[in-house]
Amino acid sequence: MKKLMEVLAIANLGVALTGCGNQSTQSSSNTAKNNSEASSSQSTATTNNTSSSESHHDSSLWNNQKNEQLASFMQKWGPTMHQSYEQYDGQNELKVSTGITYPDGLSKELVEGQSGLIGWAPSGKGDYEYNVVAIYNHDGTEPPLPNRITYFFAFHNGKPVVLVDQSNNGDPDCHPTTNTDLESNFERIANQ
């Protein structure tokens, strides 16, 4: 404790001798704490607050710019599959031909037969195994009806993944898509 007080006193003296009238008391106090090698809980708290605010700033895996890039890609990609896709806009429910509405329907959505793994999380970070950031749906017009292709663009353990649901009766059940073009482009957008 005595050494800690000596280090702080020396640091404060150094700050006082080199400081100009432009430095605030708070700045001087933080400089003294940061210059000391002592591990006091107060300087640890200061460091943790800085780290946590920086990581909070960068914690979002998904943002509006990426969402717009995905929308642009889907507008071009859909016609290559002879399909048109409607996007969940984040406000108005997206109703599919089987009667399910999203994002509320995610609570009933199974992932490869397992329930409770998927949910809406616009930042890509949430409390689910699969945190969905975008939903696109195509309702088919050819029998058997109803039929649909619903894509869930999500993050699983921080990594981008595209799930697809084509169920038309029973419980909605999705699985990872086998469309490599769709998956690679989502990954490219997500990692920008």
Side-chain angles (χ1 to χ4, degrees):
M1 185 64 152
K2 188 174 180 181
K3 280 189 174 187
L4 175 62
M5 291 179 76
E6 287 175 5
V7 169
L8 287 176
I10 290 169
N12 279 334
L13 180 59
V15 169
L17 291 174
T18 60
C20 296
N22 292 338
Q23 287 185 336
S24 70
T25 307
Q26 179 69 26
S27 173
S28 298
S29 172
N30 285 344
T31 303
K33 286 179 199 165
N34 291 337
N35 285 342
S36 75
E37 292 295 323
S39 61
S40 72
S41 62
Q42 203 167 13
S43 66
T44 302
T46 302
T47 304
N48 287 345
N49 286 343
T50 303
S51 298
S52 112
S53 84
E54 286 172 6
S55 66
H56 180 272
H57 178 70
D58 297 330
S59 69
S60 180
L61 297 170
W62 195 249
N63 58 38
N64 286 337
Q65 182 181 6
K66 292 178 182 182
N67 203 43
E68 289 171 11
Q69 289 176 16
L70 179 60
S72 176
F73 168 76
M74 290 299 288
Q75 285 176 347
K76 294 173 190 164
W77 180 79
T80 68
M81 303 297 289
H82 307 290
Q83 299 161 348
S84 62
Y85 283 85
E86 184 181 355
Q87 174 188 14
Y88 169 60
D89 65 6
Q91 296 176 355
N92 303 302
E93 289 184 333
L94 177 63
K95 186 172 183 176
V96 303
S97 62
T98 58
I100 299 170
T101 56
Y102 292 104
D104 291 345
L106 289 172
S107 64
K108 298 176 186 128
E109 189 78 34
L110 304 175
V111 179
E112 298 184 294
Q114 295 184 19
S115 64
L117 298 181
I118 190 169
W120 181 248
S123 71
K125 291 199 168 191
D127 298 330
Y128 306 98
E129 286 285 319
Y130 295 89
N131 296 292
V132 177
V133 296
I135 304 170
Y136 284 82
N137 181 68
H138 166 75
D139 286 330
T141 55
E142 295 182 22
L145 295 175
N147 65 62
R148 51 86 175 241
I149 303 171
T150 309
Y151 286 109
F152 306 107
F153 295 85
F155 286 88
H156 176 61
N157 296 326
K159 294 188 180 353
V161 62
V162 182
L163 303 171
V164 62
D165 187 343
Q166 293 180 275
S167 59
N168 60 5
N169 56 26
D171 292 328
D173 195 358
C174 63
H175 56 275
T177 185
T178 56
N179 187 302
T180 55
D181 189 31
L182 191 60
E183 181 133 28
S184 65
N185 276 283
F186 177 55
E187 187 174 343
R188 174 185 55 80
I189 293 167
N191 290 330
Q192 288 180 353

